[in-house]
Amino acid sequence: MRIGIFGGTFNPIHLGHLRAAEEVREALELEKVLFVPSYLPPHKELALGVPAEVRLEIVRLSIRSNPFFELSSFEVEQGGNSYSVRTIEYVRQRFETVPWFILGQDAFNEIITWYQSSRLFDLAHFAVMSRPGAERPELADVLVEEAARFRPAPDGYVSSEGNRIVFVDVTPLDISSSKIRDLCHQGRSVTYLIPKEVEEYIERERIYE
Ligand code: ATP
Ligand code: MG
């Protein structure tokens, strides 16, 4: 099965996430994209005032109409620090396949700082989505010594073990969760930036006031 893992805080999920994930799904012919909201440690939750359960609900509402999209509460159920390595291992076991890990260029550019980052590239293929404001540096500048394992391929890079890094140019939508939260805090409209169902939910539940 060709499966993608799309992780994030999704605080809240917005049309930048959803459209980019849909374009990656189509480009890579994925049969399923698992949306995996990260757990936030309690102190961070308090600071943001948005519990994991709420972010799960927001994602659930926004992907409901897409038969290829599925919610996973794996990281929330695990609690503590959410490590992508663990999530990838879980998906590999559950679906008996090498999954595609989907992330934006801004996140990819910092991947070397992630927990057990060198193992990540053995466990999954990577689909890196373009994102407004994020540059696409040379692989060696992002992966440092890990880059030596990869050689150029038509759509990105492939490692000696066959793991791929593919760059997908998605429709540039300059939307971020921080921007949504700011607009809400200011009492301004977020219409056409997030799905209607999410807008109604966060308004009704007064999530970002
Ligand atoms: P925040 O402003 O709180 O950081 P965010 O909009 O960056 O929120 P995240 O939950 O941090 O959202 O992002 C999850 C993943 O989605 C990351 O890999 C990020 O790069 C990617 N992503 C977010 N917004 C976009 C976008 N507009 N286009 C492409 N990728 C995006
Ligand atoms: Mg972000």
Side-chain angles (χ1 to χ4, degrees):
M1 181 173 217
R2 291 176 64 84
I3 185 158
I5 302 173
F6 188 21
T9 41
F10 301 126
N11 186 31
I13 196 164
H14 51 70
L15 295 182
H17 293 126
L18 290 160
R19 179 63 202 174
E22 177 68 358
E23 290 187 23
V24 167
R25 178 197 68 75
E26 201 172 33
L28 300 180
E29 300 181 324
L30 301 178
E31 292 158 84
K32 193 194 281 291
V33 177
L34 280 181
F35 283 66
V36 191
S38 58
Y39 182 72
L40 294 178
H43 62 276
K44 205 172 171 187
E45 258 182 37
L46 280 180
L48 297 167
V50 181
E53 292 308 326
V54 169
R55 290 180 292 109
L56 281 175
E57 181 59 18
I58 288 172
V59 174
R60 190 179 293 122
L61 288 170
S62 68
I63 65 177
R64 190 157 67 173
S65 61
N66 189 325
F68 295 102
F69 289 178
E70 196 175 300
L71 174 66
S72 168
S73 54
F74 175 75
E75 291 186 4
V76 170
E77 278 163 25
Q78 292 287 299
N81 290 322
S82 304
Y83 296 123
S84 299
V85 159
R86 264 196 223 145
T87 309
I88 293 169
E89 281 174 331
Y90 156 74
V91 172
R92 282 172 62 103
Q93 276 183 7
R94 181 173 151 200
F95 296 95
E96 295 178 336
T97 187
V98 179
W100 284 84
F101 193 88
I102 302 168
L103 77 180
Q105 183 79 49
D106 60 312
F108 181 72
N109 290 350
E110 296 184 347
I111 199 160
I112 209 73
T113 67
W114 292 17
Y115 180 68
Q116 295 191 350
S117 62
S118 68
R119 282 190 64 223
L120 284 171
F121 301 104
D122 298 322
L123 297 172
H125 304 295
F126 279 76
V128 185
M129 310 179 288
S130 55
R131 183 171 189 185
E135 284 178 29
R136 183 171 295 165
E138 293 294 320
L139 196 68
D141 293 334
V142 177
L143 298 194
V144 204
E145 57 262 41
E146 292 302 322
R149 299 155 56 182
F150 289 91
R151 60 187 153 78
D155 48 3
Y157 296 88
V158 63
S159 76
S160 26
E161 294 83 28
N163 289 78
R164 295 166 64 191
I165 299 175
V166 166
F167 295 90
V168 185
D169 283 319
V170 298
T171 304
L173 293 172
D174 192 5
I175 309 174
S176 67
S177 302
S178 341
K179 188 190 228 165
I180 305 291
R181 294 194 301 272
D182 280 352
L183 291 170
C184 290
H185 290 319
Q186 294 171 44
R188 293 175 58 194
S189 165
V190 290
T191 300
Y192 310 131
L193 293 176
I194 60 176
K196 194 74 202 157
E197 300 90 323
V198 175
E199 187 182 349
E200 285 165 2
Y201 176 84
I202 65 178
E203 199 169 304
R204 190 171 64 238
E205 304 290 326
R206 300 174 175 236
I207 309 291
Y208 298 106
E209 284 186 351

